[in-house]
Amino acid sequence: MLFLEITLLVVYGLCLLFVLGFSLTQFQLTRLARRAYRQGLAPEPAAPAVWPRVTVQLPLYNEVFVAERLIDACAALDYPTAQLHIQVLDDSTDETVALVAARVAYHQARGLHIEQVRRPDRQGYKAGALAYGLTHSEAELVAIFDADFVPQPDFLRRTVPYFQEEPRLGVVQTRWGHLNEEYSLLTELQAFGLNAHFHVEQLGRNAGGHFINFNGTGGVWRRSCIEDAGGWHADTLTEDLDLSYRAQLRGWRFHYLPHVVAPAELPATLDALKSQQFRWTKGAAETARKHLRNVLRSGQPLSTKLHATFHLLNSSVFVAILVMALVSVPLVFVRADLPELKPVLRVASVFLLAFVPLVYYYYTAWRLDKPTAPRWRFVADFLLFLSVSMGLTLHNARAVLLGYRGRQSAFIRTPKLGLVKRAGGWRGRRYRTGDLLDGLTFTEGLLALYFAFGVGAGLYLGDWGLLPFHLMLTVGYGIVFLYSVRHRA
């Protein structure tokens, strides 16, 4: 029994070390981002004498609620008409096809170079659609917007000039905004997490000269960069991250613009959020499997290799936290049964110390996004965000492990509902990604009870060290389970 108890402690400690390593890289990125903000953003470059040709690609698949909104927003882009080409890469199989055809015809009649591009099949999913569209374009720059985005009219005029200054600039990525952040608790927590990535992480990596990633939308590529890096590949669920690493390993530079915002819609239902999270976490694991060795063997500086390693492995944090969570409940009893191990077991009680750097990271982003909000709001938002993130660890850890195993999955796009602020509703919407009340969801409900048992055990035995951890896990898994029940309608 002693061997088993020591094994539990070692496993917990190793996972804690990995989480701490990830937290420390986020701390370093926060410092880099804060320094960049203090120094001030460089002035935007002057407009080129001759604006280059740009193709705007809009990959769609059954987006009846948002297709027209997207097309109209891109048709309103302030750019020389003769140099602008809009491709609606429409793989739809429902009435979206007719809606797109009508809007395309309307804007063609107004003199815009816009076309609806239909493929024979969906081979390669989004990556295949983007690659197919390139074969029907001669533009030197390519802007990409997913169906849930509503770009501002000046988007191209604020991004394209950067390509004139540096021939090896491959991508200009902008910050995502949120059309429906205040719609529900679920959307507010998503915005909280995404703001940290866009306000801090992307800027910190860029300011430190480290690899960043094109976020799949809301950015502009140099066509020659795409081609030089080998084009779009469909062997991962994150074709954006995959191409980003291939391009940067080839010596192309990326530039991030935190002051240029591309508004988008956040998933409002749990099945949509889980679909998105599955794609992002599994795709990141697949990309790590594909590129981590190449990164470590490259001639990049050690600091860039280190940041790239944690960048590619960031979805593995869900696996580490899940293992820690499962092991932590028995550890409460180990401490009570083996008092001679108390000096060692105190390590298990410092769980929150691994998350201190994350407080700095998320608070910096939160304050940038909400400069006048009272600080108590951050405490509430952060604890809820952390709890729900923990409640998704089972779902996301499964996706990560499937990615590392090389198990192929279909590209399930995130359903969009056309929500803005608090307007609109999700009930009765046709696009679903699966049954929310499956075996995985019932397991999440059981885990909520399991960690509630951990809370009770800690209180009964007078062991308060892991109580905050177990409370957050109970709340997180409980929220995920309850939203699953609510959103099955």
Side-chain angles (χ1 to χ4, degrees):
M1 286 297 292
L2 182 60
F3 173 77
L4 177 61
E5 290 157 339
I6 292 177
T7 300
L8 290 174
L9 183 60
V10 169
V11 169
Y12 184 93
L14 290 174
C15 291
L16 184 60
L17 282 175
F18 179 76
V19 173
L20 181 60
F22 173 77
S23 299
L24 291 176
T25 61
Q26 300 303 94
F27 177 80
Q28 173 63 11
L29 291 176
T30 307
R31 293 185 62 190
L32 290 169
R34 290 173 71 96
R35 184 173 67 187
Y37 283 120
R38 284 196 303 269
Q39 291 174 347
L41 300 174
E44 295 186 12
V50 178
W51 289 93
R53 285 185 294 180
V54 176
T55 290
V56 179
Q57 293 188 318
L58 312 177
L60 297 181
Y61 176 69
N62 294 350
E63 301 289 4
V64 68
F65 302 113
V66 295
E68 295 171 299
R69 181 179 72 180
L70 170 68
I71 293 170
D72 289 345
C74 291
L77 287 169
D78 179 17
Y79 202 75
T81 303
Q83 302 297 87
L84 180 63
H85 173 210
I86 299 176
Q87 288 182 332
V88 186
L89 306 174
D90 186 14
D91 286 346
S92 301
T93 58
D94 64 2
E95 59 265 46
T96 304
V97 178
L99 292 176
V100 168
R103 295 316 293 168
V104 167
Y106 171 78
H107 291 295
Q108 284 175 340
R110 295 174 54 241
L112 198 63
H113 184 194
I114 181 172
E115 57 182 334
Q116 181 181 25
V117 179
R118 300 276 294 163
R119 296 190 291 160
D121 54 54
R122 283 191 75 206
Q123 183 176 0
Y125 303 107
K126 180 181 175 181
L130 295 173
Y132 185 83
L134 278 182
T135 65
H136 294 76
S137 167
E138 297 181 355
E140 56 189 289
L141 299 178
V142 182
I144 300 172
F145 295 105
D146 282 349
D148 48 334
F149 274 70
V150 185
Q152 298 298 307
D154 63 352
F155 181 89
L156 292 177
R157 287 193 177 271
R158 300 187 69 185
T159 54
V160 167
Y162 288 89
F163 290 95
Q164 308 304 303
E165 293 192 328
E166 187 178 347
R168 292 296 292 177
L169 182 63
V171 170
V172 170
Q173 174 66 52
T174 65
R175 177 165 61 89
W176 292 5
H178 314 299
L179 293 170
N180 61 326
E181 176 178 352
E182 60 266 51
Y183 184 79
S184 69
L185 174 64
L186 204 59
T187 56
E188 288 177 3
L189 295 180
Q190 289 175 72
F192 182 90
L194 286 170
N195 287 340
H197 173 71
F198 284 101
H199 276 298
V200 178
E201 185 177 0
Q202 285 285 65
L203 180 59
R205 293 188 192 282
N206 210 205
H210 307 311
F211 286 4
I212 69 169
N213 60 293
F214 169 64
N215 291 107
T217 176
V220 184
W221 281 85
R222 192 187 296 272
R223 183 197 183 113
S224 57
C225 172
I226 296 175
E227 295 170 343
D228 180 64
W232 295 103
H233 292 180
D235 56 349
T236 75
L237 291 180
T238 46
E239 74 294 322
D240 45 9
L241 182 61
D242 170 38
L243 183 56
S244 296
Y245 266 77
R246 283 189 279 121
Q248 288 169 109
L249 286 170
R250 293 280 297 171
W252 289 92
R253 278 197 63 253
F254 286 20
H255 193 60
Y256 176 64
L257 304 179
H259 58 288
V260 180
V261 181
E265 180 183 331
L266 295 162
T269 60
L270 194 65
D271 65 310
L273 175 60
K274 280 189 169 182
S275 170
Q276 185 184 72
Q277 289 286 305
F278 181 89
R279 195 171 66 247
W280 288 356
T281 52
K282 183 174 185 284
E286 291 170 332
T287 306
R289 187 171 182 263
K290 183 175 180 179
H291 291 303
L292 184 55
R293 183 178 300 177
N294 295 332
V295 169
L296 296 176
R297 289 178 174 177
S298 70
Q300 297 294 325
L302 180 60
S303 60
T304 295
K305 290 181 180 180
L306 180 64
H307 278 284
T309 297
F310 278 101
H311 187 194
L312 289 172
L313 295 179
N314 66 356
S315 62
S316 301
V317 170
F318 290 107
V319 178
I321 293 177
L322 177 62
V323 173
M324 286 174 61
L326 294 174
V327 167
S328 65
V329 174
L331 281 180
V332 175
F333 296 94
V334 170
R335 180 165 178 168
D337 292 341
L338 297 172
E340 64 272 18
L341 288 181
K342 278 190 176 181
V344 180
L345 288 169
R346 287 196 181 97
V347 175
S349 301
V350 297
F351 167 81
L352 292 178
L353 292 183
F355 287 83
V356 169
L358 292 182
V359 175
Y360 181 56
Y361 167 68
Y362 283 107
Y363 179 76
T364 298
W366 179 84
R367 182 50 75 194
L368 286 166
D369 191 65
K370 295 178 170 58
T372 61
R375 287 188 175 88
W376 67 264
R377 280 293 307 274
F378 167 76
V379 176
D381 290 348
F382 178 70
L383 291 177
L384 267 176
F385 169 77
L386 206 59
S387 297
V388 173
S389 297
M390 290 178 182
L392 288 168
T393 51
L394 178 64
H395 173 271
N396 289 349
R398 174 178 172 270
V400 170
L401 294 176
L402 289 173
Y404 285 135
R405 286 176 56 191
R407 185 107 166 253
Q408 293 296 309
S409 302
F411 186 101
I412 307 298
R413 62 98 172 92
T414 306
K416 293 92 178 177
L417 304 178
L419 305 177
V420 177
K421 295 186 178 180
R422 294 182 179 273
W426 53 266
R427 291 187 183 276
R429 298 298 193 180
R430 72 187 70 182
Y431 299 136
R432 312 294 291 182
T433 62
D435 186 3
L436 276 172
L437 295 185
D438 55 9
L440 188 71
T441 300
F442 281 114
T443 305
E444 289 167 341
L446 291 175
L447 284 176
L449 297 176
Y450 174 71
F451 296 120
F453 172 74
V455 172
L459 291 172
Y460 178 75
L461 296 172
D463 188 342
W464 297 76
L466 289 168
L467 188 61
F469 188 29
H470 291 153
L471 278 172
M472 286 189 288
L473 286 162
T474 303
V475 171
Y477 273 101
I479 288 175
V480 168
F481 179 75
L482 291 175
Y483 265 115
S484 297
V485 174
R486 182 186 176 197
H487 288 172
R488 72 174 304 206

